[in-house]
Amino acid sequence: MRFACFLLLLLLPSVSLRAQLVKVYQPIVGSAQFVNFDRFTREPLLVVMEDEPTDAASQRRMAKDPKETALFRADLAARNEALRTAVKFWTLTKVEFINSAQADAHYRDKEASHLLLRLGGLGPHGITVTSIVLSAEGKPEKLNFGGSLQVLANDVPEDARRRPVASASFAPHPNSYWSETYFTSDAINAVQAMQRYVAARMQKQKDKDIEEAQLQRIGQSGPALAQKTLLLDRARLDADLPEAQIAKLYPYPVQVVERAVIEAAVAAADPRYLYARYLTVYRNHGYQLVDAASGQALAYAQFNLMRTVALGHIQDWTLKEFVRTSAGR
């Protein structure tokens, strides 16, 4: 029943969605209202390391359920470690780490100027807010760019009046724990994509131009696929996709491996490999074929209602779409 409700949420339209839906080949939700990208040349990026709530009500709830509290603390540590690893790939500005109390103080201080990067936190009903949000706080913005963007079933903003500079998406999941659902490579890829978006906006590129350039680059990436090995997560292969059939669907180098091999390749930015990343952006979901060295998407496979789909599974159409989109078709 829970899975059925989750699937229904994915397919229902939302009045809060923006007019132009972001496709899975361009998974950064940026704020067109934000214009002072020169701030990234002169201000440090404050990366929030979350800590557990200390208010009396939260402490009472945690004391009532020691098992759930232990899971929460383990997950908090996993999310912080993922973000700490991911921001090693951020090179635009100096990185400084702060805790959640310091971040909350920055949100309230409207006279100062801050750039914050924050991952997750717990949303309503205990569901992980699966997003990385880059926000600009205080003056000289005049508009409040604070708050977080919840990237759940339909990626609906928690507060439509607030606009982050950019938000990177993850695949939604009924699970409430990052460590059971996502990977460090997801956080790395999100930070890489967010940095490319910010760098492009610093060069006065518009959102439409950024998306068109991405799609054009993907359509010319066939030769790159032939030169690198695609690592496929054995646990993500659909039961109806035997390994013997993969080479027929994907005529480039490919290996079926354990997840740890993929994570190591991404963390090392290994130029020999590609990997498949499952994600959603608004109501679109599918896979990106990602270069482990750069984090760039070289192909994509987007779900549509005419296909049978097992969420998060690599199916025959996934590989076919990788080949088709990388050839610009």
Side-chain angles (χ1 to χ4, degrees):
M1 181 64 184
R2 184 174 67 172
F3 177 81
C5 293
F6 168 58
L7 183 57
L8 180 61
L9 281 173
L10 278 176
L11 302 180
L12 282 176
S14 170
V15 295
S16 299
L17 298 180
R18 299 180 187 180
Q20 182 178 0
L21 297 182
V22 182
K23 306 299 190 296
V24 296
Y25 55 79
Q26 183 65 30
I28 292 297
V29 179
S31 174
Q33 298 180 39
F34 187 77
V35 294
N36 295 318
F37 282 90
D38 63 318
R39 291 180 62 179
F40 288 94
T41 66
R42 53 186 169 83
E43 295 184 39
L45 181 68
L46 304 181
V47 181
V48 184
M49 295 284 102
E50 305 287 350
D51 42 29
E52 63 184 66
T54 57
D55 61 280
S58 296
Q59 290 295 312
R60 285 194 298 270
R61 287 195 297 269
M62 294 170 69
K64 289 180 180 179
D65 194 340
K67 183 177 180 181
E68 187 72 12
T69 298
L71 288 172
F72 168 73
R73 286 172 172 161
D75 190 65
L76 196 66
R79 285 188 279 124
N80 282 341
E81 183 59 31
L83 186 55
R84 186 179 291 276
T85 299
V87 296
K88 293 178 182 178
F89 291 81
W90 181 273
T91 59
L92 287 179
T93 49
K94 179 182 178 181
V95 170
E96 297 179 6
F97 294 96
I98 62 175
N99 60 34
S100 53
Q102 291 171 310
D104 292 340
H106 287 319
Y107 287 136
R108 294 190 297 268
D109 183 359
K110 301 309 176 187
E111 297 302 316
S113 180
H114 312 289
L115 296 168
L116 284 88
L117 188 70
R118 197 165 197 167
L119 168 62
L122 291 182
H125 314 299
I127 300 175
T128 301
V129 179
T130 49
S131 66
I132 288 183
V133 180
L134 176 65
S135 63
E137 300 301 320
K139 293 182 178 180
E141 296 318 322
K142 295 185 180 179
L143 290 175
N144 180 9
F145 285 87
S148 63
L149 185 70
Q150 292 191 28
V151 186
L152 301 174
N154 283 326
D155 302 46
V156 179
E158 182 181 62
D159 184 343
R161 297 170 299 174
R162 295 179 172 183
R163 295 285 186 260
V165 177
S167 178
S169 297
F170 300 93
H173 196 281
N175 242 335
S176 49
Y177 289 107
W178 163 280
S179 55
E180 297 177 3
T181 309
Y182 308 103
F183 305 102
T184 299
S185 59
D186 288 316
I188 291 173
N189 183 267
V191 168
Q192 289 173 318
M194 189 174 289
Q195 178 165 257
R196 285 195 301 271
Y197 173 80
V198 170
R201 290 293 303 272
M202 288 171 66
Q203 297 170 7
K204 309 302 182 183
Q205 296 182 37
K206 298 180 179 179
D207 286 354
K208 182 179 179 182
D209 298 330
I210 296 171
E211 182 175 344
E212 289 178 350
Q214 172 81 337
L215 194 55
Q216 182 178 6
R217 182 167 49 249
I218 286 174
Q220 300 171 353
S221 63
L225 269 61
Q227 297 170 9
K228 297 173 181 281
T229 300
L230 170 59
L231 302 178
L232 294 178
D233 185 346
R234 191 184 311 277
R236 289 283 179 98
L237 288 184
D238 191 80
D240 294 329
L241 180 61
E243 291 188 27
Q245 189 182 353
I246 292 174
K248 298 178 182 178
L249 299 170
Y250 185 85
Y252 305 118
V254 60
Q255 293 180 18
V256 178
V257 298
E258 301 304 316
R259 187 72 209 186
V261 176
I262 298 173
E263 292 301 299
V266 177
D270 196 319
R272 297 173 295 173
Y273 298 116
L274 309 170
Y275 69 103
R277 183 186 174 212
Y278 173 60
L279 77 164
T280 70
V281 185
Y282 292 139
R283 289 171 292 174
N284 299 309
H285 61 108
Y287 268 94
Q288 283 186 341
L289 183 63
V290 181
D291 185 347
S294 67
Q296 287 273 18
L298 300 183
Y300 66 95
Q302 188 156 302
F303 166 73
N304 65 54
L305 293 178
M306 299 305 293
R307 296 190 177 108
T308 57
V309 61
L311 297 183
H313 289 198
I314 298 171
Q315 299 177 280
D316 56 357
W317 63 266
T318 314
L319 299 176
K320 291 176 183 177
E321 287 292 286
F322 283 166
V323 174
R324 183 185 69 81
T325 57
S326 67
R329 301 194 300 269

